[in-house]
């Protein structure tokens, strides 16, 4: 059985949070869920057992509440067939709001939420665990993370514009054209982009195309059609990127990751 409930977020959070979802999965086959790279950062508060995570950097940990930065390899969540918690997909601006610095400081790793917000993380976990009903839990999360919090970090406007251009094109805009539009050389644009987000524009574009491919594959679209729609040269190119980012092929992902859901704001998500 799987339950997913997505919160209706207040408009003021639109620059910071793409989605806030409550989830409860029971009765699945024990195994490992693949947390694939995305262009959002993942914040999870577990409501039962701690999240048993092998991060994209290979570090293992068990977390009651954690944040995963942008990454270009799979994170692995080991589970006994049950998962219960709250997940936020944060924009880089949302991560910077909590961090007080660029989202790139979290790139490639996963950390306890208390490193970002202090003792409030433990209090949030305890209050969520004691609360009943998704709406009350969502309200607790929004209040704990975003009430009375002011942005102390802003990226250079050119970097923010470059990110939006890549995002708007779902990773298909040429990197040199983006650099030209913001008025920088490709090399300087890449340096500034990595400082802000922790990875290069090229890697980010590949991640964005991969995320779009997951969404379409989750809809049951044929792989050759997905490859063409997402800007891959062919289906083999699609498979190579999946091996890089997920450590598996799309076909194996669909058949072997029993709690896999498309990591996209248009639908429910599993912890990633």
């Amino acid at each position: 059985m799987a339950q997913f409930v997505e919160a209706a977020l207040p408009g003021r959070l639109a620059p910071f949070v793409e989605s806030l979802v409550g989830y409860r999965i029971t009765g699945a086959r024990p195994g490992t869920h693949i947390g694939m790279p995305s262009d959002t950062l993942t914040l999870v508060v577990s409501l039962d057992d701690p999240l048993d995570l092998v991060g994209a950097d290979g570090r293992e940990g068990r977390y009651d509440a954690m944040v995963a930065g942008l990454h270009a390899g799979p994170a692995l969540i080991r589970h006994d067939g049950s998962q219960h918690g709250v997940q936020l997909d944060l924009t880089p601006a949302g991560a910077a709001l909590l961090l007080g610095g660029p989202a790139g400081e979290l790139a490639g790793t996963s950390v306890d939420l208390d490193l970002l917000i202090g003792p409030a993380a433990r209090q949030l976990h305890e209050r969520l665990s004691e609360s009943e009903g998704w709406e009350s839990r969502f309200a607790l999360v929004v209040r704990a993370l975003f009430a009375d919090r002011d942005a102390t970090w802003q990226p250079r406007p050119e970097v923010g514009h470059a990110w939006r251009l890549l995002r708007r094109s779902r990773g298909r805009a040429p990197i040199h054209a983006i650099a030209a539009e913001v008025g920088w050389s490709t090399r300087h644009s890449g340096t500034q982009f990595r400082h802000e987000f922790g990875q290069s524009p090229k890697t980010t574009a590949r991640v964005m195309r991969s995320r779009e491919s997951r969404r379409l594959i989750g809809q049951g679209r044929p792989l050759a059609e997905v490859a063409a729609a997402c800007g891959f040269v062919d289906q083999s190119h699609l498979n190579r990127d999946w091996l890089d980012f997920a450590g598996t092929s799309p076909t194996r992902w669909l058949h072997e990751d029993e709690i896999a859901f498309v990591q996209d704001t248009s639908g429910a998500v599993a912890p990633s």
Side-chain angles (χ1 to χ4, degrees):
M1 183 184 75
Q3 178 190 30
F4 296 89
V5 179
E6 185 163 4
L9 293 168
R12 64 183 176 83
L13 291 186
F16 308 114
V17 183
E18 281 211 353
S19 68
L20 167 55
V21 174
Y23 60 89
R24 185 162 197 170
I25 302 168
T26 58
R29 185 172 62 249
T32 301
H33 167 62
I34 301 173
M36 298 186 198
S38 177
D39 49 0
T40 56
L41 294 84
T42 303
L43 190 161
V44 172
V45 183
S46 178
L47 294 181
D48 286 332
D49 294 332
L51 203 66
D52 186 1
L53 177 71
V54 181
D57 57 1
R59 292 198 306 167
E60 299 186 27
R62 292 176 62 83
Y63 302 94
D64 289 326
M66 55 76 66
V67 181
L70 297 177
H71 52 98
L76 305 177
I77 297 173
R78 298 176 290 213
H79 63 88
D80 63 358
S82 300
Q83 292 282 280
H84 187 201
V86 175
Q87 173 174 312
L88 292 89
D89 287 345
L90 300 173
T91 67
L97 183 66
L98 299 180
L99 184 63
E105 293 184 10
L106 296 173
T109 193
S110 303
V111 299
D112 276 298
L113 180 60
D114 61 9
L115 292 179
L116 273 66
I117 67 171
R122 172 58 54 189
Q123 296 166 10
L124 173 61
H125 176 258
E126 291 173 353
R127 295 186 68 186
L128 283 179
S129 299
E130 295 167 355
S131 179
E132 295 185 3
W134 291 116
E135 292 306 318
S136 63
R137 291 169 179 160
F138 294 153
L140 284 171
V141 169
V142 170
R143 193 157 53 244
L145 297 180
F146 301 106
D148 303 320
R149 194 178 296 276
D150 296 322
T152 58
W153 174 266
Q154 293 291 340
R156 296 183 65 172
E158 296 91 341
V159 180
H161 187 49
W163 177 273
R164 289 189 294 273
L165 290 173
L166 264 184
R167 193 84 196 281
R168 194 179 305 150
S169 71
R170 295 177 180 174
R172 299 185 64 174
I175 302 305
H176 66 85
I178 291 176
E181 177 155 340
V182 303
W184 286 342
S185 69
T186 303
R187 181 176 181 178
H188 184 66
S189 176
T191 298
Q192 296 299 319
F193 199 94
R194 279 190 293 272
H195 172 69
E196 184 63 34
F197 304 116
Q199 57 190 24
S200 70
K202 181 178 179 180
T203 296
T204 302
R206 291 179 65 208
V207 167
M208 289 178 177
R209 291 196 299 270
S210 175
R211 177 179 182 177
E212 178 66 4
S213 75
R214 291 198 305 273
R215 186 180 70 84
L216 298 179
I217 290 168
Q219 293 176 353
R221 302 268 289 272
L223 294 182
E225 181 181 314
V226 171
C230 296
F232 294 96
V233 174
D234 52 26
Q235 187 173 328
S236 294
H237 183 196
L238 170 70
N239 282 327
R240 287 196 298 274
D241 268 20
W242 268 72
L243 287 173
D244 284 346
F245 291 144
T248 189
S249 69
T251 302
R252 288 186 63 186
W253 172 70
L254 285 171
H255 286 92
E256 295 181 6
D257 189 347
E258 189 169 338
I259 66 170
F261 287 80
V262 179
Q263 296 167 313
D264 188 81
T265 56
S266 62
V269 295
S272 57

